Amino acid sequence: FCLLLRLLKGRSIPGKVLLTRRSELFDNSGIQHQSPSYQRSYSQNDAARSNDADKYMEGGVRNTNNSDSNATVNKLRSSASNIETSAREVKSVMGARSTDSARVLKFTKELSGQMIVVERLRELAWSGVPPYMRPDVWRLLLGYAPPNSDRREGVLRRKRLEYLDCVAQFYDIPDTERSDDEINMLRQIAVDCPRTVPDVAFFQQAQVQKSLERILYTWAIRHPASGYVQGINDLVTPFLVVFLSEYLDGSIDSWSISELSSANISNIEADCYWCLSQLLDGMQDHYTFAQPGIQRLVFKLKELVRRIDEPVSRHVEDQGLEFLQFAFRWFNCLLIREIPFHLVTRLWDTYLAEGDALPDFLVYIFASFLLTWSETLQKLDFQELVMFLQHLPTHNWTYQELEMVLSRAYMWH
């Protein structure tokens, strides 16, 4: 425990220790492996403390059947409390850190090279991307834009034309040329688009909903293994906002897509389509029949919560509430419906920086998110739990609360 505290109170503030990935992590089997990750520079003494703390954490959370298990849980809670207290004291919110001058210079340096080193870009992006750099950074992190700057413009032009061809081939046709399943799928998308982020007025614009409809239908037709699944409509929205920000200034509340040319709208839709495709390629079984990928991750979430906070786990179980009843939506929509929309793009900086490791890391983020309300949850009966988890009190959240969630997730991982 002392080692862990020394690690957290070491060379830099908790956010900077916890919000940058190490290159070597431990999986649940305790076997050290090389992750698709990135490494921060730290001293040899830091490395020793980090490794010792990792071994302690891994052994502690896994050893739930012996007499030390309760002490271990208490130690984990104490360490998490120390992180939160320290973070509140320094007030190092992610939004501020993503735009400070030193980080902007680092991003500028990485993006200005002829050949982008994507792993270094991931390391920077994990703790937040300056908003005006997000379009370029997200395209690179998802592999949609090539790291070679000489090829980038040509590749994007070709992919955008390919999207236009797909729209002409699959969307801009009469219903008489569609199958019954395709007609039903298009109708379902048309119903879901007006329901997408209903509390943000921008998404109620007819042209925005038409763009969403084109992107979703074209994606579904070209991915018949899953087709359209409710929830995928939410996943388009961060991409749409980020790529629109290249063309529209000011707050999203003042945006009007009608100000843009049809060529610009087509480019934005194409970027959304291809980035959505790249994102979902890494989690295909989340949206196939019965969505087995999500069910698997919900089970992992239940087990992780049991190891970290056994009283919450036992109370939820005693009340007869299944994790699938509330966490399925979290995995299906990646928390977009659970937090204020202005925080979503910041959260997605971390999502996209995780790359192929994202599905497994989501388990830790969602465990941290749930246990934000550990004490409250233990006081609620079944009906109160259901209502609370369906309407979580996040409407006043700032970047600071989001940082707490990601800091704990990093520590537990």
Side-chain angles (χ1 to χ4, degrees):
F1 182 49
C2 292
L3 286 170
L4 184 60
L5 287 180
R6 289 212 311 272
L7 170 66
L8 298 178
K9 295 178 179 178
R11 295 170 62 247
S12 57
I13 61 174
K16 289 192 177 178
V17 172
L18 296 175
L19 294 176
T20 305
R21 295 290 305 277
R22 294 186 308 278
S23 63
E24 292 183 345
L25 299 171
F26 290 86
D27 60 19
N28 288 341
S29 66
I31 301 173
Q32 199 173 21
H33 68 281
Q34 194 74 18
S35 89
S37 56
Y38 12 93
Q39 187 168 4
R40 71 177 176 95
S41 60
Y42 55 155
S43 71
Q44 191 170 4
N45 290 336
D46 282 337
R49 288 200 298 270
S50 175
N51 289 337
D52 288 344
D54 284 341
K55 291 173 185 175
Y56 174 83
M57 287 287 294
E58 181 65 18
V61 294
R62 295 184 66 206
N63 190 13
T64 57
N65 296 321
N66 61 28
S67 60
D68 294 333
S69 61
N70 290 334
T72 298
V73 170
N74 289 334
K75 289 173 182 177
L76 284 170
R77 286 186 188 148
S78 297
S79 61
S81 176
N82 274 296
I83 295 170
E84 294 184 9
T85 302
S86 299
R88 278 193 291 268
E89 288 172 357
V90 298
K91 298 182 189 295
S92 62
V93 298
M94 290 180 191
R97 190 159 62 249
S98 69
T99 54
D100 67 37
S101 58
R103 284 180 55 75
V104 168
L105 287 174
K106 289 179 181 178
F107 272 104
T108 302
K109 180 180 177 182
E110 290 299 330
L111 294 171
S112 62
Q114 181 177 354
M115 179 63 73
I116 304 293
V117 180
V118 177
E119 290 307 308
R120 288 207 297 261
L121 195 60
R122 291 191 190 282
E123 180 183 1
L124 284 173
W126 206 96
S127 296
V129 180
Y132 67 94
M133 294 182 177
R134 273 199 182 109
D136 290 331
V137 172
W138 282 21
R139 291 186 193 105
L140 288 161
L141 292 179
L142 284 162
Y144 168 46
N148 188 331
S149 61
D150 292 339
R151 296 182 54 235
R152 201 167 301 145
E153 185 178 343
V155 168
L156 292 180
R157 186 185 307 114
R158 177 173 56 81
K159 299 294 279 186
R160 288 164 177 170
L161 287 173
E162 185 178 341
Y163 169 77
L164 281 178
D165 289 343
C166 291
V167 170
Q169 181 179 352
F170 301 120
Y171 183 83
D172 293 334
I173 60 174
D175 282 352
T176 54
E177 297 182 25
R178 305 186 209 273
S179 68
D180 289 344
D181 287 343
E182 290 170 350
I183 291 173
N184 290 332
M185 183 167 63
L186 181 57
R187 286 175 180 167
Q188 183 61 58
I189 292 171
V191 168
D192 286 346
C193 284
R195 300 172 178 170
T196 305
V197 198
D199 54 337
V200 177
F202 170 74
F203 289 103
Q204 303 312 305
Q205 296 178 29
Q207 285 180 278
V208 174
Q209 293 177 10
K210 184 58 69 173
S211 287
L212 282 172
E213 186 177 301
R214 273 193 293 268
I215 295 165
L216 290 166
Y217 183 77
T218 304
W219 184 88
I221 290 294
R222 297 200 66 190
H223 294 79
S226 62
Y228 174 71
V229 176
Q230 287 180 305
I232 296 179
N233 54 312
D234 292 276
L235 304 187
V236 180
T237 57
F239 296 124
L240 190 59
V241 168
V242 166
F243 296 133
L244 274 166
S245 70
E246 292 185 289
Y247 300 88
L248 298 174
D249 296 323
S251 167
I252 186 175
D253 298 328
S254 65
W255 285 2
S256 173
I257 200 171
S258 62
E259 299 174 12
L260 303 179
S261 67
S262 58
N264 287 340
I265 292 174
S266 293
N267 287 343
I268 292 164
E269 287 184 18
D271 290 358
C272 291
Y273 168 84
W274 290 112
C275 286
L276 177 70
S277 299
Q278 293 292 102
L279 175 72
L280 295 184
D281 281 352
M283 47 181 75
Q284 292 185 27
D285 61 350
H286 288 213
Y287 300 98
T288 53
F289 178 73
Q291 298 177 256
I294 291 181
Q295 298 201 44
R296 183 178 65 252
L297 293 183
V298 170
F299 176 78
K300 288 184 176 181
L301 174 64
K302 179 179 179 180
E303 289 300 298
L304 183 62
V305 170
R306 179 183 61 80
R307 290 161 56 193
I308 293 171
D309 197 330
E310 197 272 340
V312 166
S313 175
R314 185 175 62 249
H315 179 73
V316 169
E317 184 176 343
D318 288 346
Q319 293 300 316
L321 180 63
E322 293 293 335
F323 272 64
L324 206 61
Q325 292 175 264
F326 61 88
F328 187 90
R329 185 174 78 176
W330 298 2
F331 285 103
N332 196 51
C333 304
L334 300 184
L335 287 190
I336 287 176
R337 299 186 186 183
E338 317 307 323
I339 64 174
F341 191 74
H342 72 273
L343 299 180
V344 168
T345 51
R346 168 59 200 94
L347 177 60
W348 278 51
D349 290 339
T350 298
Y351 283 174
L352 302 188
E354 280 291 317
D356 293 338
L358 174 60
D360 287 331
F361 193 65
L362 287 174
V363 176
Y364 292 87
I365 294 178
F366 295 174
S368 176
F369 183 67
L370 175 67
L371 295 179
T372 299
W373 300 280
S374 173
E375 293 183 5
T376 301
L377 294 172
Q378 294 177 59
K379 300 173 183 176
L380 304 178
D381 63 23
F382 175 82
Q383 290 292 343
E384 292 168 336
L385 281 169
V386 171
M387 292 300 296
F388 183 82
L389 291 168
Q390 286 181 348
H391 305 282
L392 289 166
T394 59
H395 54 280
N396 290 325
W397 269 29
T398 66
Y399 289 104
Q400 187 170 350
E401 285 78 18
L402 187 57
E403 178 169 18
M404 298 300 180
V405 169
L406 293 177
S407 295
R408 285 191 301 263
Y410 176 89
M411 180 188 71
W412 292 334
H413 188 271

